[in-house]
Amino acid sequence: MSTVSGKKIKFVALSIISLPTLFQSPITYAEERKTEEDRFYRSGAQLIQTGNHESITSGTFVGDAYGGSDKLGGDVTLNSLTVSGNGTKLDGAGYGGYTENGGNIFHNAISITDGAEVTQHVYGGWSDTGDISENTVTVSGGSQIKGSIYGGQSGGGSISKNSVTVSDGNTVVEGSVMGGSTAGASGAMTDNDVTIRSGATVKGGVYGAHDRNASSNFDMIGNTVEVRGSGTEVGWVTGGYTLGSGTSSNVVVVKDSAAVAQDVYGGFSQNGAAKNNYVSITGGTVGRDVAGGYSFYGQATNNKVIVGHSQISGSIYGGYGGGYDTSIDLISDNEFHLVSALRLGSDQTVANFEKYNFDIGADIEAGDTMLHVGSPVDLAPELNNPNNVESQVNITGVSKSTKLVVGDKITLINKTENA
């Protein structure tokens, strides 16, 4: 283990005390500086880089820091980097694991705790074209990240099961947080997750997975974002975001008085379908719109949105987008589920759902309105409805503690059209 403390330094020569038996002779490790980028590499392990545990516990470390790294195409696994302590600064980027030339990144970790600061980005794992899986990032205890956070980032490999947790009051991320991120056109992005909780702040967006290549053609499935806890604040939230082919079965949960300043989308796709996504907002506030699925040029169907005990300043959509093509389906099999009374603004509505389901909670009294909209809910839209769906309005549950008695009346939706 190498520990750096109490000094302002440009480079540190990290020494390896021992190597796992499997990787002793004839494999040797050479140390090399990549001075043009102020990066330090331990190279020569063409098969694997494993078992390093590095820490920075006081003072300022100048340059990027790595739990494990390899630039010759080797896999990097089971390494960790910890930056901890009030006043401790990593003046560069932090990597749990890093590899070039197609190496893979598995089971690495980076932890920023107890008031430490990182001036650039933080990565659980980074590879130029390799696979990245099951890496973790933890930021807590009032720490400050001046860049963004990536559970895993690759330029072309599969990115799966990476995890980011940001927690505690006074913990601030100036950029965005992504469970997985890629600019590549191939691979897959599945089952990455992000949790923002317990009063932490993310000034940018929060994404379970994020793809910024408009030519990408791969699965973006099962990525999750959860934002919870009093005092927790984030900029915007998307379960799965792609400029490419499509996003499916991603999950967003907002609860426990958390605040989202802008929009919430279960899945966003520029060129493909946004389907089977799930959004649950059962506490807190959303400053703009909510959509189960959002696509510019593809369908947005079979999405589910659950709302209750929340304040939403925008409109709520099952499917949204369609560009200028009004034949694209934004309605079929989308489901809205309301579990408490909700009042939207004067120009806001709920739209593009095949089913409007209402659970009558214990707080609903005679004469109440469950859903109060400013603009009417269209139950048989002409646009973006190629299957000519006529929406259903259903009561799907009544609380055992209901205050309603036989003969009482409530209003499910205050304004509708094409009913």
Side-chain angles (χ1 to χ4, degrees):
M1 176 181 291
S2 301
T3 301
V4 182
S5 62
K7 298 179 181 179
K8 186 170 183 178
I9 55 181
K10 189 66 175 176
F11 292 103
V12 175
L14 304 178
S15 60
I16 300 177
I17 297 174
S18 63
L19 295 175
T21 302
L22 179 62
F23 302 107
Q24 291 178 359
S25 184
I27 296 175
T28 60
Y29 289 86
E31 294 183 346
E32 177 180 340
R33 293 175 179 175
K34 189 179 180 184
T35 55
E36 68 272 18
E37 295 184 10
D38 289 341
R39 288 179 173 173
F40 175 84
Y41 294 87
R42 189 183 292 111
S43 64
Q46 297 185 35
L47 295 179
I48 195 166
Q49 174 73 276
T50 187
N52 298 302
H53 305 288
E54 314 295 351
S55 62
I56 304 170
T57 57
S58 65
T60 297
F61 183 100
V62 180
D64 298 344
Y66 305 81
S69 62
D70 189 292
K71 67 173 183 177
L72 300 181
D75 292 347
V76 176
T77 184
L78 295 171
N79 304 285
S80 68
L81 171 65
T82 299
V83 183
S84 65
N86 189 26
T88 302
K89 179 187 287 189
L90 170 56
D91 193 2
Y95 300 81
Y98 178 100
T99 186
E100 296 180 2
N101 294 308
N104 302 311
I105 300 282
F106 303 128
H107 298 286
N108 300 282
I110 182 169
S111 179
I112 316 298
T113 66
D114 300 328
E117 178 183 340
V118 178
T119 63
Q120 296 183 30
H121 300 320
V122 173
Y123 303 85
W126 189 99
S127 176
D128 53 357
T129 57
D131 296 339
I132 300 183
S133 180
E134 298 185 76
N135 303 282
T136 63
V137 178
T138 303
V139 180
S140 63
S143 297
Q144 309 289 301
I145 309 300
K146 301 303 183 182
S148 293
I149 297 174
Y150 305 83
Q153 176 165 291
S154 176
S158 296
I159 303 173
S160 64
K161 298 181 180 179
N162 300 286
S163 180
V164 178
T165 301
V166 181
S167 64
D168 302 331
N170 298 319
T171 299
V172 178
V173 179
E174 297 287 341
S176 295
V177 177
M178 286 150 274
S181 176
T182 186
S186 61
M189 302 187 75
T190 58
D191 300 320
N192 301 285
D193 71 85
V194 175
T195 300
I196 315 296
R197 61 178 177 84
S198 305
T201 297
V202 177
K203 294 186 177 181
V206 182
Y207 304 86
H210 186 277
D211 159 44
R212 55 192 184 276
N213 189 325
S215 299
S216 65
N217 183 20
F218 56 76
D219 296 327
M220 180 175 283
I221 298 174
N223 303 287
T224 301
V225 174
E226 181 173 277
V227 181
R228 58 184 168 88
S230 178
T232 302
E233 299 180 357
V234 303
W236 58 92
V237 179
T238 305
Y241 176 100
T242 178
L243 297 181
S245 62
T247 179
S248 175
S249 302
N250 301 287
V251 175
V252 171
V253 175
V254 179
K255 61 182 183 178
D256 301 336
S257 302
V260 181
Q262 299 182 39
D263 301 296
V264 174
Y265 304 138
F268 175 95
S269 175
Q270 176 171 284
N271 293 317
K275 60 183 181 180
N276 302 316
N277 300 290
Y278 175 93
V279 174
S280 174
I281 302 172
T282 55
T285 61
V286 177
R288 289 173 49 175
D289 293 338
V290 175
Y294 187 146
S295 177
F296 279 172
Y297 303 116
Q299 296 180 352
T301 59
N302 204 33
N303 299 290
K304 186 173 184 178
V305 178
I306 298 175
V307 175
H309 310 288
S310 305
Q311 179 180 333
I312 297 174
S313 297
S315 294
I316 303 171
Y317 302 94
Y320 188 78
Y324 297 104
D325 187 348
T326 58
S327 70
I328 292 176
D329 193 352
L330 303 179
I331 298 173
S332 294
D333 298 314
N334 290 323
E335 183 176 333
F336 175 67
H337 203 97
L338 185 62
V339 300
S340 72
L342 176 67
R343 187 181 187 93
L344 299 181
S346 59
D347 296 322
Q348 312 309 323
T349 192
V350 179
N352 296 344
F353 291 95
E354 183 165 341
K355 294 181 180 180
Y356 294 83
N357 296 328
F358 294 82
D359 276 3
I360 311 303
D363 56 337
I364 300 299
E365 300 180 352
D368 283 351
T369 297
M370 284 284 291
L371 176 59
H372 191 286
V373 295
S375 181
V377 175
D378 192 343
L379 298 178
E382 293 184 7
L383 304 181
N384 298 110
N385 188 13
N387 295 324
N388 296 316
V389 169
E390 295 182 0
S391 300
Q392 305 170 25
V393 178
N394 308 303
I395 294 177
T396 50
V398 179
S399 170
K400 293 181 179 179
S401 302
T402 181
K403 300 174 184 177
L404 301 175
V405 298
V406 175
D408 286 345
K409 294 181 179 181
I410 63 172
T411 300
L412 296 180
I413 307 173
N414 69 313
K415 294 180 183 179
T416 64
E417 60 185 13
N418 295 322

